[in-house]
């Protein structure tokens, strides 16, 4: 996530041949990167400008780009489903998450959402990421660290049914199987203006969570599903791509209201 003009040893790059063949790798001076398109000497990239071309041993040309947080997330090593950029972008805007926000999320999973949140709450905000499984915490931590964002995330190996340790939070985001069980926990941890967000693959989960929200001090629920369709732009034959991701999950948002109002 370097902001320098020139590529340094240790930078994470997007090595780009074409839309299908591109990789996220770390530049290490004495290392080579092997692909079926030849070997790329990573040391030869150091000192080049972003957007430069590097040639492999088979004289194939690769671009060296600075990856965006979106590029990094779609290629994050994962062992769980992750939140994709199309959903994360909407969540960030709707929950008003930005520099300085304090956010709790559960579970950490592969650390994709934790990385996105950390990236946007910098430099003064913080993410508290809860996860029951120790192996997933390890993976999520490794992924967040690789992106240089570990200072902005505190991982907790804890079931959120035991509560969220922090208070006065700007948002609580639940990406787990039974969000309805933790609506009260979220209410207690949120500030007066806090936003609740859950992400669920099925409508059945949304309906149960909606009911729990209604009974536990939340109002103005909004459920959305986002679709993203690529457009293939070619002179004289521009059209939508025939492939797209059909379904990821439903996003359910809710506003916290004061205790007296919420129980009327
Ligand atoms: C779909 S994954 C989350 C993926 C994550 N949002 C990401 O983008 O990488 C769901 C995770 O929630 C965890 N989980 C389920 N119930 C939990 C609970 N009560 N407290 C904490 N974590 C929980 C699971 O172990 C799993 O790792």
């Amino acid at each position: 996530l370097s902001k320098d003009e020139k590529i340094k040893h240790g930078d994470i790059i997007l090595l780009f041949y074409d839309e299908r063949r591109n990789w996220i790798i770390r530049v290490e001076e004495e290392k080579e990167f092997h692909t079926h398109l030849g070997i790329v000497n990573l040391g030869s990239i150091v000192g080049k400008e972003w957007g430069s071309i590097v040639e492999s041993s088979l004289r194939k040309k690769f671009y060296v780009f600075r990856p965006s947080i979106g590029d990094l997330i779609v290629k994050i090593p994962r062992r769980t489903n992750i939140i994709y950029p199309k959903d994360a972008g909407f969540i960030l805007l709707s929950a008003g998450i930005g520099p300085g926000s304090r956010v709790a999320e559960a579970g950490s999973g592969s650390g994709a959402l934790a990385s996105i949140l950390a990236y946007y709450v910098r430099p003064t905000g913080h993410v508290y990421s809860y996860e029951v499984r120790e192996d997933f915490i390890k993976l999520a931590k490794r992924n967040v660290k690789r992106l240089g964002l570990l200072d902005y995330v505190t991982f907790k190996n804890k079931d959120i049914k035991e509560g969220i340790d922090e208070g006065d939070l700007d948002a609580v985001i639940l990406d787990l199987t039974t969000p309805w069980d933790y609506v009260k926990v979220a209410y207690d941890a949120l500030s007066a203006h806090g936003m609740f967000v859950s992400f669920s693959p099925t409508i059945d989960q949304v309906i149960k969570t909606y009911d729990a929200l209604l009974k536990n001090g939340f109002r103005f629920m909004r459920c959305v599903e986002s679709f993203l369709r690529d457009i293939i732009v070619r002179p004289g034959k521009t059209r939508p791509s025939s492939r797209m991701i059909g379904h990821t999950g439903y996003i359910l948002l809710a506003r916290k209201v004061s205790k007296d109002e919420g129980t009327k």
Side-chain angles (χ1 to χ4, degrees), residues 80-83 105-114 130-133 136 158-161 175-177 182:
T80 65
N81 282 332
I82 63 162
I83 303 257
E105 67 141 8
S108 317
S110 304
L113 184 62
Y130 288 76
E131 172 60 57
V132 271
R133 284 186 50 173
F136 288 160
K158 191 174 160 185
D159 190 319
I160 59 153
K161 78 166 180 249
D175 176 15
L176 37 68
T177 328
Y182 314 110

Side-chain angles (χ1 to χ4, degrees), residues 52-91:
S52 300
I53 286 175
V54 61
E55 262 193 21
S56 73
S57 54
L58 297 177
R59 316 218 58 184
K60 298 284 184 197
K61 288 184 166 55
F62 293 78
Y63 281 96
V64 185
F65 291 128
R66 179 159 59 202
S68 69
I69 184 74
D71 294 326
L72 295 165
I73 292 307
V74 293
K75 290 198 186 287
I76 207 164
R78 72 190 71 163
R79 285 179 49 214
T80 65
N81 282 332
I82 63 162
I83 303 257
Y84 279 87
K86 78 174 176 78
D87 296 311
F90 184 81
I91 291 172

